[in-house]
Amino acid sequence: LLQLRGSVGGNAAGGIELVRPGFVALLPTGAIAIADNHKVRLLSADGTRVLSTLDAAGEEPAPEGHSGLRGLYHPMGLATDGRVIWVADRSNHCVQGLRLSDGRRVSVSARGGQAHGVWGPYGLAHSDDRLFAADSNNDRIVVFHAPTLRVQQTFGGSGSMDGEFDRPRGVATHAAEL
């Protein structure tokens, strides 16, 4: 059990200052990734130091079909393969892949309103070359080809019967299964 010392929205005084901490992912190196406000913080394995901050801000040009996309806006779920960290970018209505080594954007999914777009994604899980996303506002689960963030499959739909969802928030994998 690791308890981070610091503050939320104030002076950290020797700890880590977080504004709106949310979802957490453990990297293969032992480092900790935390979705925090409009960025992802990478912390040391013991939680005492910020190693880097990823925010995709200033990336130009925006990928085709993504005009106006500058950085992360309410990041939620996180998943990684050790080279890339995928971020469920809730208010930009997309999933972004950021290279862990330098924070550069390497992929972005279709956005809400586009064909195969996600709308308000929340939780993420990675397995092999697949990335699973809880597409909350579309009441479904989306399966992406992780390196390209191209949709491979969707399932679910609005409702409360078997195979239907009502604003799914999380996904998890075990081995190669969802």
Side-chain angles (χ1 to χ4, degrees):
L1 180 64
L2 175 68
Q3 179 179 359
L4 297 177
R5 295 186 180 267
S7 68
V8 175
N11 184 350
I16 305 296
E17 183 177 350
L18 300 172
V19 178
R20 296 178 111 169
F23 286 73
V24 175
L26 184 62
L27 305 180
T29 61
I32 304 162
I34 300 177
D36 181 31
N37 202 22
H38 301 304
K39 56 185 98 16
V40 175
R41 304 277 188 143
L42 301 182
L43 307 181
S44 59
D46 63 4
T48 61
R49 292 177 294 117
V50 175
L51 302 175
S52 62
T53 299
L54 309 177
D55 63 5
E59 298 253 343
E60 291 295 337
E64 182 179 336
H66 293 79
S67 63
L69 181 63
R70 295 291 179 262
L72 300 173
Y73 191 44
H74 297 129
M76 293 293 180
L78 303 171
T80 186
D81 66 355
R83 296 178 310 276
V84 172
I85 189 161
W86 293 278
V87 183
D89 193 351
R90 179 145 179 82
S91 294
N92 274 324
H93 305 292
C94 65
V95 175
Q96 295 195 50
L98 307 176
R99 195 169 35 224
L100 283 167
S101 62
D102 61 8
R104 301 275 311 166
R105 183 184 308 128
V106 294
S107 56
V108 62
S109 72
R111 293 170 80 180
Q114 296 176 324
H116 302 293
V118 294
W119 195 259
Y122 243 83
L124 298 176
H126 178 262
S127 179
D128 298 321
D129 272 349
R130 296 180 302 168
L131 183 70
F132 300 88
D135 187 5
S136 186
N137 292 356
N138 283 323
D139 298 320
R140 65 184 182 172
I141 303 299
V142 177
V143 183
F144 293 102
H145 175 248
T148 62
L149 289 180
R150 299 282 186 245
V151 174
Q152 291 183 321
Q153 178 183 4
T154 63
F155 55 91
S158 185
S160 59
M161 303 299 288
D162 286 347
E164 297 176 332
F165 300 102
D166 183 17
R167 303 216 184 242
R169 300 296 176 121
V171 290
T173 59
H174 181 278
E177 297 187 17
L178 179 63

